[in-house]
Amino acid sequence: MGVDNEIKGRLALVTGASGGIGAACARDLFAYGTRLALTYSTNNDSLEKLVSELQGQDKSVKISSHQCNVAKEEDLQRLFDEVKQEHGQHPDILVANAGYGKRVSNILDITLEEWDYTITVNLRSSFILTKLAVPHMLDQHWGRVVYITSIAAGGTSINGCHYSASKAGVQGLSRNLANKMGKEGITFNDVAPAMITGTGMIPSEEHLRGTPGDVRGIPVGRSGSTGECANVVTMLCRTGYMTGQSVLLSGGLK
């Protein structure tokens, strides 16, 4: 079996790409010549600015933008229909980044509605996206699936058990599929960031002060950047020998 880790010309679908980690992943994959299908939920202006920025660098690489509420199954199906129409194919690379996390730490304060919505956005949508993406990957015997999870999957979190459970579920999904589909040329991995600033959940280090994620307790002495997270995502896309792994990106925080 030959080794094919080339991503130039491949099509990557990045969900939640209007800012934060998703936008950083789009920039990094684009730098390697990857065509892009990018989604946003409500922030169309930010995504359009990103698309303009990237197309200003190279207009020959096709980029499409799509509105999608990942909590809705019909939106996810429509997304794949639109991607096929725009690019003539379904994605070769799936970066399932869109997520949700309302900071509620105490289980007594977590409503059942909050639990259900968190699981729907973070775990259920990952399953649906994967199920939609896999047939094309099987047909060509090549695919890369990267989920953005969290250090919270292991229990360490400034958020509550609902968020930890949703991200742990995605890690289980990834490992199971990696074991079952490795010989099909499709890899499944997740990146588990911790204390990444420049995101909707953690805009700056100030938002971490006095929490378990306070930068004074991080061994490297600072928060992580969205670009560093994107570096790991791209590495996973370009490394077909790695599958079933969860990469903890935490500055040494356990």
Side-chain angles (χ1 to χ4, degrees):
M1 185 181 296
V3 177
D4 180 5
N5 284 316
E6 182 58 69
I7 64 172
K8 183 177 182 179
R10 299 281 188 184
L11 174 60
L13 169 60
V14 183
T15 64
S18 61
I21 291 171
C25 289
R27 288 187 179 98
D28 207 55
L29 289 167
F30 184 82
Y32 281 88
T34 306
R35 293 177 292 134
L36 298 172
L38 308 176
T39 81
Y40 70 96
S41 178
T42 58
N43 199 347
N44 182 43
D45 289 345
S46 291
L47 185 60
E48 288 308 312
K49 287 178 183 176
L50 173 63
V51 171
S52 296
E53 170 196 325
L54 296 178
Q55 289 186 328
Q57 298 171 23
D58 187 348
K59 288 186 171 61
S60 68
V61 179
K62 185 172 179 58
I63 306 173
S64 62
S65 60
H66 309 268
Q67 192 282 327
C68 182
N69 179 351
V70 298
K72 297 181 178 180
E73 182 181 359
E74 59 270 25
D75 274 27
L76 294 170
Q77 182 60 66
R78 175 179 53 78
L79 167 64
F80 270 71
D81 292 342
E82 289 178 2
V83 170
K84 181 71 175 288
Q85 184 175 10
E86 288 270 358
H87 296 269
Q89 64 167 93
H90 281 157
D92 307 305
I93 297 166
L94 169 63
V95 181
N97 166 71
Y100 170 79
K102 185 177 180 181
R103 194 182 296 184
V104 185
S105 295
N106 191 327
I107 187 173
L108 300 180
D109 297 326
I110 301 169
T111 65
L112 183 58
E113 290 76 18
E114 184 69 15
W115 169 277
D116 287 344
Y117 187 71
T118 304
I119 294 294
T120 294
V121 173
N122 294 345
L123 179 55
R124 185 173 182 266
S125 72
S126 294
F127 167 74
I128 296 171
L129 282 164
T130 305
K131 193 169 182 179
L132 290 168
V134 160
H136 168 69
M137 297 177 181
L138 283 172
D139 286 346
Q140 65 181 4
H141 203 75
W142 195 99
R144 301 285 187 267
V145 179
V146 183
Y147 305 100
I148 304 301
T149 60
S150 170
I151 191 175
T156 301
S157 180
I158 59 177
N159 211 319
C161 62
H162 58 320
Y163 186 73
S164 290
S166 70
K167 294 298 188 177
V170 175
Q171 290 186 348
L173 171 74
S174 178
R175 290 169 181 159
N176 178 278
L177 291 170
N179 185 54
K180 293 181 181 298
M181 307 196 76
K183 290 184 173 60
E184 303 297 337
I186 310 172
T187 65
F188 297 85
N189 296 284
D190 75 271
V191 181
M195 313 316 148
I196 304 296
T197 49
T199 68
M201 186 176 291
I202 310 174
S204 68
E205 289 185 352
E206 184 62 32
H207 289 76
L208 296 171
R209 192 178 300 276
T211 76
D214 193 309
V215 295
R216 291 171 293 185
I218 299 175
V220 301
R222 65 171 176 86
S223 60
S225 72
T226 57
E228 288 172 313
C229 193
N231 291 343
V232 180
V233 170
T234 300
M235 179 273 291
L236 293 171
C237 294
R238 301 180 66 235
T239 310
Y241 195 57
M242 180 173 278
T243 195
Q245 303 304 305
S246 180
V247 182
L248 179 61
L249 185 67
S250 66
L253 192 66
K254 301 297 184 185

PDB file of all heavy atoms in Angstrom, residues 95-119:
ATOM      1  N   VAL A  95     -12.856  18.693   9.078  1.00  0.00           N
ATOM      2  CA  VAL A  95     -12.428  19.249  10.361  1.00  0.00           C
ATOM      3  C   VAL A  95     -13.694  19.674  11.106  1.00  0.00           C
ATOM      4  O   VAL A  95     -14.291  20.706  10.787  1.00  0.00           O
ATOM      5  CB  VAL A  95     -11.464  20.445  10.187  1.00  0.00           C
ATOM      6  CG1 VAL A  95     -11.037  20.970  11.562  1.00  0.00           C
ATOM      7  CG2 VAL A  95     -10.240  20.043   9.364  1.00  0.00           C
ATOM      8  N   ALA A  96     -14.109  18.835  12.040  1.00  0.00           N
ATOM      9  CA  ALA A  96     -15.347  19.080  12.788  1.00  0.00           C
ATOM     10  C   ALA A  96     -15.010  19.956  13.987  1.00  0.00           C
ATOM     11  O   ALA A  96     -14.659  19.471  15.071  1.00  0.00           O
ATOM     12  CB  ALA A  96     -15.973  17.757  13.228  1.00  0.00           C
ATOM     13  N   ASN A  97     -15.114  21.252  13.767  1.00  0.00           N
ATOM     14  CA  ASN A  97     -14.698  22.217  14.771  1.00  0.00           C
ATOM     15  C   ASN A  97     -15.867  22.917  15.462  1.00  0.00           C
ATOM     16  O   ASN A  97     -15.764  23.255  16.635  1.00  0.00           O
ATOM     17  CB  ASN A  97     -13.796  23.275  14.112  1.00  0.00           C
ATOM     18  CG  ASN A  97     -13.599  24.490  14.998  1.00  0.00           C
ATOM     19  OD1 ASN A  97     -12.930  24.438  16.014  1.00  0.00           O
ATOM     20  ND2 ASN A  97     -14.213  25.609  14.605  1.00  0.00           N
ATOM     21  N   ALA A  98     -16.960  23.149  14.760  1.00  0.00           N
ATOM     22  CA  ALA A  98     -18.085  23.889  15.347  1.00  0.00           C
ATOM     23  C   ALA A  98     -18.536  23.215  16.638  1.00  0.00           C
ATOM     24  O   ALA A  98     -18.754  22.008  16.687  1.00  0.00           O
ATOM     25  CB  ALA A  98     -19.246  23.959  14.358  1.00  0.00           C
ATOM     26  N   GLY A  99     -18.650  24.005  17.673  1.00  0.00           N
ATOM     27  CA  GLY A  99     -19.047  23.440  18.959  1.00  0.00           C
ATOM     28  C   GLY A  99     -19.746  24.460  19.821  1.00  0.00           C
ATOM     29  O   GLY A  99     -19.930  25.623  19.444  1.00  0.00           O
ATOM     30  N   TYR A 100     -20.102  24.009  21.013  1.00  0.00           N
ATOM     31  CA  TYR A 100     -20.861  24.854  21.933  1.00  0.00           C
ATOM     32  C   TYR A 100     -20.420  24.539  23.359  1.00  0.00           C
ATOM     33  O   TYR A 100     -20.197  23.364  23.698  1.00  0.00           O
ATOM     34  CB  TYR A 100     -22.348  24.588  21.790  1.00  0.00           C
ATOM     35  CG  TYR A 100     -23.206  25.241  22.863  1.00  0.00           C
ATOM     36  CD1 TYR A 100     -23.517  26.596  22.795  1.00  0.00           C
ATOM     37  CD2 TYR A 100     -23.685  24.499  23.946  1.00  0.00           C
ATOM     38  CE1 TYR A 100     -24.298  27.205  23.770  1.00  0.00           C
ATOM     39  CE2 TYR A 100     -24.474  25.092  24.917  1.00  0.00           C
ATOM     40  CZ  TYR A 100     -24.777  26.439  24.832  1.00  0.00           C
ATOM     41  OH  TYR A 100     -25.546  27.029  25.801  1.00  0.00           O
ATOM     42  N   GLY A 101     -20.263  25.563  24.153  1.00  0.00           N
ATOM     43  CA  GLY A 101     -19.919  25.340  25.548  1.00  0.00           C
ATOM     44  C   GLY A 101     -20.280  26.527  26.404  1.00  0.00           C
ATOM     45  O   GLY A 101     -19.561  27.521  26.419  1.00  0.00           O
ATOM     46  N   LYS A 102     -21.403  26.456  27.086  1.00  0.00           N
ATOM     47  CA  LYS A 102     -21.799  27.498  28.030  1.00  0.00           C
ATOM     48  C   LYS A 102     -21.177  27.169  29.379  1.00  0.00           C
ATOM     49  O   LYS A 102     -21.338  26.057  29.887  1.00  0.00           O
ATOM     50  CB  LYS A 102     -23.321  27.566  28.142  1.00  0.00           C
ATOM     51  CG  LYS A 102     -23.822  28.699  29.013  1.00  0.00           C
ATOM     52  CD  LYS A 102     -25.349  28.742  29.002  1.00  0.00           C
ATOM     53  CE  LYS A 102     -25.873  29.881  29.873  1.00  0.00           C
ATOM     54  NZ  LYS A 102     -27.357  29.904  29.875  1.00  0.00           N
ATOM     55  N   ARG A 103     -20.445  28.116  29.936  1.00  0.00           N
ATOM     56  CA  ARG A 103     -19.695  27.842  31.160  1.00  0.00           C
ATOM     57  C   ARG A 103     -20.621  27.757  32.367  1.00  0.00           C
ATOM     58  O   ARG A 103     -20.978  28.766  32.977  1.00  0.00           O
ATOM     59  CB  ARG A 103     -18.614  28.889  31.380  1.00  0.00           C
ATOM     60  CG  ARG A 103     -17.591  28.459  32.442  1.00  0.00           C
ATOM     61  CD  ARG A 103     -16.544  29.522  32.703  1.00  0.00           C
ATOM     62  NE  ARG A 103     -15.727  29.793  31.548  1.00  0.00           N
ATOM     63  CZ  ARG A 103     -14.701  30.638  31.564  1.00  0.00           C
ATOM     64  NH1 ARG A 103     -14.387  31.292  32.661  1.00  0.00           N
ATOM     65  NH2 ARG A 103     -13.999  30.845  30.458  1.00  0.00           N
ATOM     66  N   VAL A 104     -21.017  26.539  32.685  1.00  0.00           N
ATOM     67  CA  VAL A 104     -21.810  26.255  33.884  1.00  0.00           C
ATOM     68  C   VAL A 104     -21.116  25.086  34.576  1.00  0.00           C
ATOM     69  O   VAL A 104     -21.123  23.965  34.073  1.00  0.00           O
ATOM     70  CB  VAL A 104     -23.267  25.868  33.543  1.00  0.00           C
ATOM     71  CG1 VAL A 104     -24.078  25.701  34.819  1.00  0.00           C
ATOM     72  CG2 VAL A 104     -23.910  26.900  32.626  1.00  0.00           C
ATOM     73  N   SER A 105     -20.476  25.327  35.707  1.00  0.00           N
ATOM     74  CA  SER A 105     -19.618  24.319  36.325  1.00  0.00           C
ATOM     75  C   SER A 105     -20.366  23.334  37.226  1.00  0.00           C
ATOM     76  O   SER A 105     -20.055  22.144  37.261  1.00  0.00           O
ATOM     77  CB  SER A 105     -18.509  25.006  37.132  1.00  0.00           C
ATOM     78  OG  SER A 105     -17.657  25.733  36.282  1.00  0.00           O
ATOM     79  N   ASN A 106     -21.340  23.820  37.950  1.00  0.00           N
ATOM     80  CA  ASN A 106     -22.020  23.004  38.951  1.00  0.00           C
ATOM     81  C   ASN A 106     -23.133  22.185  38.313  1.00  0.00           C
ATOM     82  O   ASN A 106     -24.023  22.739  37.649  1.00  0.00           O
ATOM     83  CB  ASN A 106     -22.591  23.917  40.046  1.00  0.00           C
ATOM     84  CG  ASN A 106     -23.080  23.142  41.259  1.00  0.00           C
ATOM     85  OD1 ASN A 106     -23.574  22.031  41.156  1.00  0.00           O
ATOM     86  ND2 ASN A 106     -22.929  23.762  42.432  1.00  0.00           N
ATOM     87  N   ILE A 107     -23.122  20.880  38.523  1.00  0.00           N
ATOM     88  CA  ILE A 107     -24.150  20.012  37.929  1.00  0.00           C
ATOM     89  C   ILE A 107     -25.556  20.450  38.335  1.00  0.00           C
ATOM     90  O   ILE A 107     -26.517  20.302  37.557  1.00  0.00           O
ATOM     91  CB  ILE A 107     -23.918  18.523  38.313  1.00  0.00           C
ATOM     92  CG1 ILE A 107     -24.893  17.620  37.536  1.00  0.00           C
ATOM     93  CG2 ILE A 107     -24.022  18.316  39.808  1.00  0.00           C
ATOM     94  CD1 ILE A 107     -24.620  16.141  37.716  1.00  0.00           C
ATOM     95  N   LEU A 108     -25.699  21.014  39.514  1.00  0.00           N
ATOM     96  CA  LEU A 108     -27.019  21.437  39.980  1.00  0.00           C
ATOM     97  C   LEU A 108     -27.554  22.624  39.185  1.00  0.00           C
ATOM     98  O   LEU A 108     -28.758  22.889  39.196  1.00  0.00           O
ATOM     99  CB  LEU A 108     -26.967  21.785  41.471  1.00  0.00           C
ATOM    100  CG  LEU A 108     -26.541  20.634  42.401  1.00  0.00           C
ATOM    101  CD1 LEU A 108     -26.534  21.105  43.844  1.00  0.00           C
ATOM    102  CD2 LEU A 108     -27.464  19.433  42.233  1.00  0.00           C
ATOM    103  N   ASP A 109     -26.657  23.309  38.478  1.00  0.00           N
ATOM    104  CA  ASP A 109     -27.063  24.458  37.669  1.00  0.00           C
ATOM    105  C   ASP A 109     -27.241  24.110  36.192  1.00  0.00           C
ATOM    106  O   ASP A 109     -27.620  24.968  35.395  1.00  0.00           O
ATOM    107  CB  ASP A 109     -26.031  25.582  37.792  1.00  0.00           C
ATOM    108  CG  ASP A 109     -25.920  26.120  39.214  1.00  0.00           C
ATOM    109  OD1 ASP A 109     -26.959  26.154  39.908  1.00  0.00           O
ATOM    110  OD2 ASP A 109     -24.792  26.483  39.626  1.00  0.00           O
ATOM    111  N   ILE A 110     -26.953  22.859  35.835  1.00  0.00           N
ATOM    112  CA  ILE A 110     -27.049  22.440  34.432  1.00  0.00           C
ATOM    113  C   ILE A 110     -28.443  21.871  34.179  1.00  0.00           C
ATOM    114  O   ILE A 110     -28.818  20.838  34.746  1.00  0.00           O
ATOM    115  CB  ILE A 110     -25.982  21.381  34.088  1.00  0.00           C
ATOM    116  CG1 ILE A 110     -24.574  21.929  34.343  1.00  0.00           C
ATOM    117  CG2 ILE A 110     -26.118  20.926  32.624  1.00  0.00           C
ATOM    118  CD1 ILE A 110     -23.479  20.877  34.291  1.00  0.00           C
ATOM    119  N   THR A 111     -29.214  22.549  33.360  1.00  0.00           N
ATOM    120  CA  THR A 111     -30.557  22.066  33.056  1.00  0.00           C
ATOM    121  C   THR A 111     -30.495  20.908  32.059  1.00  0.00           C
ATOM    122  O   THR A 111     -29.491  20.725  31.362  1.00  0.00           O
ATOM    123  CB  THR A 111     -31.414  23.184  32.448  1.00  0.00           C
ATOM    124  OG1 THR A 111     -30.854  23.553  31.176  1.00  0.00           O
ATOM    125  CG2 THR A 111     -31.458  24.402  33.360  1.00  0.00           C
ATOM    126  N   LEU A 112     -31.560  20.148  32.000  1.00  0.00           N
ATOM    127  CA  LEU A 112     -31.622  19.056  31.035  1.00  0.00           C
ATOM    128  C   LEU A 112     -31.573  19.615  29.616  1.00  0.00           C
ATOM    129  O   LEU A 112     -30.964  19.010  28.721  1.00  0.00           O
ATOM    130  CB  LEU A 112     -32.905  18.242  31.239  1.00  0.00           C
ATOM    131  CG  LEU A 112     -33.060  17.005  30.337  1.00  0.00           C
ATOM    132  CD1 LEU A 112     -31.890  16.036  30.507  1.00  0.00           C
ATOM    133  CD2 LEU A 112     -34.384  16.303  30.638  1.00  0.00           C
ATOM    134  N   GLU A 113     -32.186  20.767  29.400  1.00  0.00           N
ATOM    135  CA  GLU A 113     -32.161  21.400  28.076  1.00  0.00           C
ATOM    136  C   GLU A 113     -30.731  21.779  27.689  1.00  0.00           C
ATOM    137  O   GLU A 113     -30.327  21.594  26.540  1.00  0.00           O
ATOM    138  CB  GLU A 113     -33.041  22.650  28.073  1.00  0.00           C
ATOM    139  CG  GLU A 113     -34.541  22.371  28.174  1.00  0.00           C
ATOM    140  CD  GLU A 113     -34.995  21.994  29.578  1.00  0.00           C
ATOM    141  OE1 GLU A 113     -34.249  22.277  30.551  1.00  0.00           O
ATOM    142  OE2 GLU A 113     -36.091  21.407  29.702  1.00  0.00           O
ATOM    143  N   GLU A 114     -29.967  22.284  28.662  1.00  0.00           N
ATOM    144  CA  GLU A 114     -28.563  22.640  28.407  1.00  0.00           C
ATOM    145  C   GLU A 114     -27.737  21.388  28.091  1.00  0.00           C
ATOM    146  O   GLU A 114     -26.895  21.384  27.202  1.00  0.00           O
ATOM    147  CB  GLU A 114     -27.971  23.380  29.613  1.00  0.00           C
ATOM    148  CG  GLU A 114     -26.554  23.878  29.423  1.00  0.00           C
ATOM    149  CD  GLU A 114     -26.451  25.017  28.424  1.00  0.00           C
ATOM    150  OE1 GLU A 114     -27.485  25.628  28.072  1.00  0.00           O
ATOM    151  OE2 GLU A 114     -25.328  25.281  27.962  1.00  0.00           O
ATOM    152  N   TRP A 115     -27.971  20.317  28.836  1.00  0.00           N
ATOM    153  CA  TRP A 115     -27.291  19.037  28.579  1.00  0.00           C
ATOM    154  C   TRP A 115     -27.596  18.557  27.159  1.00  0.00           C
ATOM    155  O   TRP A 115     -26.694  18.231  26.388  1.00  0.00           O
ATOM    156  CB  TRP A 115     -27.733  17.993  29.607  1.00  0.00           C
ATOM    157  CG  TRP A 115     -27.298  16.589  29.268  1.00  0.00           C
ATOM    158  CD1 TRP A 115     -27.923  15.722  28.415  1.00  0.00           C
ATOM    159  CD2 TRP A 115     -26.127  15.931  29.740  1.00  0.00           C
ATOM    160  NE1 TRP A 115     -27.215  14.547  28.324  1.00  0.00           N
ATOM    161  CE2 TRP A 115     -26.108  14.644  29.127  1.00  0.00           C
ATOM    162  CE3 TRP A 115     -25.106  16.275  30.610  1.00  0.00           C
ATOM    163  CZ2 TRP A 115     -25.093  13.708  29.384  1.00  0.00           C
ATOM    164  CZ3 TRP A 115     -24.100  15.347  30.862  1.00  0.00           C
ATOM    165  CH2 TRP A 115     -24.091  14.091  30.251  1.00  0.00           C
ATOM    166  N   ASP A 116     -28.876  18.515  26.805  1.00  0.00           N
ATOM    167  CA  ASP A 116     -29.284  18.006  25.496  1.00  0.00           C
ATOM    168  C   ASP A 116     -28.694  18.834  24.362  1.00  0.00           C
ATOM    169  O   ASP A 116     -28.212  18.278  23.359  1.00  0.00           O
ATOM    170  CB  ASP A 116     -30.811  17.989  25.376  1.00  0.00           C
ATOM    171  CG  ASP A 116     -31.460  16.882  26.200  1.00  0.00           C
ATOM    172  OD1 ASP A 116     -30.738  15.957  26.625  1.00  0.00           O
ATOM    173  OD2 ASP A 116     -32.683  16.952  26.418  1.00  0.00           O
ATOM    174  N   TYR A 117     -28.724  20.142  24.504  1.00  0.00           N
ATOM    175  CA  TYR A 117     -28.211  20.999  23.431  1.00  0.00           C
ATOM    176  C   TYR A 117     -26.701  20.843  23.266  1.00  0.00           C
ATOM    177  O   TYR A 117     -26.192  20.788  22.145  1.00  0.00           O
ATOM    178  CB  TYR A 117     -28.558  22.466  23.707  1.00  0.00           C
ATOM    179  CG  TYR A 117     -28.202  23.371  22.544  1.00  0.00           C
ATOM    180  CD1 TYR A 117     -28.921  23.329  21.355  1.00  0.00           C
ATOM    181  CD2 TYR A 117     -27.126  24.256  22.632  1.00  0.00           C
ATOM    182  CE1 TYR A 117     -28.586  24.147  20.288  1.00  0.00           C
ATOM    183  CE2 TYR A 117     -26.790  25.086  21.569  1.00  0.00           C
ATOM    184  CZ  TYR A 117     -27.519  25.017  20.396  1.00  0.00           C
ATOM    185  OH  TYR A 117     -27.184  25.818  19.329  1.00  0.00           O
ATOM    186  N   THR A 118     -25.981  20.740  24.372  1.00  0.00           N
ATOM    187  CA  THR A 118     -24.528  20.569  24.312  1.00  0.00           C
ATOM    188  C   THR A 118     -24.169  19.252  23.637  1.00  0.00           C
ATOM    189  O   THR A 118     -23.268  19.201  22.786  1.00  0.00           O
ATOM    190  CB  THR A 118     -23.928  20.626  25.732  1.00  0.00           C
ATOM    191  OG1 THR A 118     -24.297  21.862  26.362  1.00  0.00           O
ATOM    192  CG2 THR A 118     -22.408  20.522  25.689  1.00  0.00           C
ATOM    193  N   ILE A 119     -24.858  18.193  23.984  1.00  0.00           N
ATOM    194  CA  ILE A 119     -24.607  16.883  23.363  1.00  0.00           C
ATOM    195  C   ILE A 119     -24.977  16.929  21.879  1.00  0.00           C
ATOM    196  O   ILE A 119     -24.274  16.375  21.023  1.00  0.00           O
ATOM    197  CB  ILE A 119     -25.422  15.779  24.078  1.00  0.00           C
ATOM    198  CG1 ILE A 119     -24.924  15.592  25.516  1.00  0.00           C
ATOM    199  CG2 ILE A 119     -25.344  14.468  23.305  1.00  0.00           C
ATOM    200  CD1 ILE A 119     -23.528  15.054  25.664  1.00  0.00           C
TER     201      ILE A 119
END
